[in-house]
Amino acid sequence: MKLVCSLPPNLQISAVKNFVDGILLEDKENIVEEIITATAYGLIPIYKLNEMVFPEEIEEYKNKIIKTKNTSCLYYITDLGLAHIAKELGLLNRTIYDPVTMITNHLDAQSFMEYGFHAIGISNEITLSDTKSIIEQGKIKAFLQVFGFRLMHTSRRALLKLYGEQARIALPKEHLTIKEALRSEHYPIIEDSYGTKIYRGYILSLLEHLGDLCLEYAFIGGEFLSSDTFLEVLNCFNEKRNNPTIMLPIQRLKQLNLPIEDGFTYQDTVYLKEEF
């Protein structure tokens, strides 16, 4: 099992090198330099191209991949359009395909694995037992988020900007949440140049199950966490991965008082009709 993480804006690659095996790198102008830096620290660089791609953007994204194909990086994608580009360039075996919530059974996972991807992302919207079954029955190299706020909605529209213009108010750019009228939860929301993302209002943690999962990549997300907290989380997962029987990392994680909930780890989604 390889631990991989995203990198919060205020952390350098060197800060995480002792805790993880790989790092998801944001799409930036200096991406080649970051790939070289990550490689120099002994990390697996994974170029994150996980946005929905419009037809008119295909050539732009193809050039991004061509720019980095002679490096040692892997590619992390969610759009099948980019899979066709990766196949055309002979890079499917360096591509992790993770459609976030879509792969929920072993037949789909196996089909995508047979297509030639390096690894396949499994949905976090299913139970842990279903996840294990998919990995075992499909015999796949799995990528799974094992910690962090989980993405639940994404749109290429600038929803916050549009709302602010309609309501004639100036919204802050950070620390925003939204709340549904009939629910109590608050959901973190961010907007960037690629659109709007809404996350679930709690953190998923599979730390205590880490030793039971046969994963190729265990992903630790750092969105909305301070640098010190994130580094302690990485330390806990690294220690647990290296010694699955110890309980101290679980205790230290609890002491951080993070909003961790089970989500769908043990219970399937239940849909109820609303009464009007």
Side-chain angles (χ1 to χ4, degrees):
M1 177 190 294
K2 302 177 184 69
L3 294 181
V4 300
C5 72
S6 54
L7 192 68
N10 50 349
L11 276 182
Q12 300 295 318
I13 295 175
S14 58
V16 304
K17 64 182 177 64
N18 294 325
F19 305 117
V20 296
D21 306 287
I23 184 166
L24 267 69
L25 299 172
E26 299 292 336
D27 182 18
K28 299 178 180 177
E29 284 294 322
N30 66 335
I31 183 62
V32 173
E33 296 173 19
E34 293 216 325
I35 290 171
I36 292 172
T37 300
T39 304
Y41 283 121
L43 298 174
I44 302 168
I46 306 174
Y47 187 6
K48 189 165 71 168
L49 294 169
N50 64 326
E51 305 298 339
M52 293 180 290
V53 180
F54 294 151
E56 61 270 21
E57 297 173 327
I58 287 292
E59 283 302 313
E60 175 188 349
Y61 275 82
K62 183 176 181 179
N63 290 332
K64 292 176 187 287
I65 296 174
I66 290 174
K67 177 182 176 181
T68 56
K69 70 174 294 189
N70 292 327
T71 70
S72 61
C73 77
L74 300 177
Y75 299 93
Y76 175 81
I77 67 170
T78 61
D79 193 311
L80 273 178
L82 294 186
H84 295 299
I85 293 177
K87 183 177 182 180
E88 177 188 337
L89 297 174
L91 297 171
L92 268 184
N93 63 345
R94 286 169 51 185
T95 302
I96 300 168
Y97 175 55
D98 181 14
V100 187
T101 62
M102 300 299 292
I103 297 181
T104 58
N105 64 81
H106 79 275
L107 294 175
D108 283 350
Q110 190 172 27
S111 295
F112 285 119
M113 201 74 221
E114 291 173 353
Y115 185 67
F117 289 113
H118 172 69
I120 303 298
I122 307 298
S123 173
N124 282 117
E125 306 287 319
I126 58 177
T127 63
L128 191 63
S129 60
D130 285 344
T131 299
K132 293 178 182 178
S133 177
I134 290 171
I135 295 171
E136 292 169 3
Q137 292 186 54
K139 295 181 173 60
I140 67 166
K141 295 169 67 176
F143 179 103
L144 182 72
Q145 183 172 357
V146 295
F147 183 89
F149 288 93
R150 293 185 296 119
L151 184 67
M152 63 178 286
H153 173 81
T154 183
S155 171
R156 286 296 299 267
R157 295 181 178 89
L159 300 178
L160 292 176
K161 178 183 177 183
L162 293 172
Y163 175 79
E165 291 175 351
Q166 182 67 26
R168 297 182 180 179
I169 57 175
L171 293 172
K173 296 185 180 298
E174 296 179 341
H175 310 300
L176 286 175
T177 62
I178 61 172
K179 178 182 176 298
E180 292 186 58
L182 302 178
R183 301 192 182 194
S184 59
E185 295 89 353
H186 286 257
Y187 303 95
I189 180 171
I190 58 175
E191 183 178 286
D192 56 25
S193 58
Y194 295 105
T196 309
K197 294 179 175 64
I198 303 174
Y199 293 80
R200 292 204 175 272
Y202 60 85
I203 289 174
L204 168 77
S205 175
L206 299 179
L207 178 61
E208 60 187 286
H209 301 288
L210 204 60
D212 303 327
L213 292 167
C214 186
L215 301 175
E216 185 72 16
Y217 299 101
F219 171 63
I220 302 166
E223 288 84 2
F224 315 115
L225 298 179
S226 69
S227 297
D228 290 343
T229 298
F230 185 54
L231 290 175
E232 177 60 12
V233 169
L234 293 182
N235 191 22
C236 290
F237 272 84
N238 183 47
E239 290 186 9
K240 188 67 173 173
R241 185 266 307 265
N242 293 335
N243 190 348
T245 61
I246 61 175
M247 299 301 294
L248 185 59
I250 296 174
Q251 297 168 5
R252 292 211 316 270
L253 186 66
K254 289 180 179 178
Q255 291 172 359
L256 295 176
N257 294 318
L258 298 171
I260 294 173
E261 295 184 18
D262 293 336
F264 302 104
T265 303
Y266 308 110
Q267 184 175 350
D268 274 324
T269 307
V270 177
Y271 293 101
L272 299 175
K273 287 187 177 181
E274 295 184 9
E275 296 183 5
F276 296 94

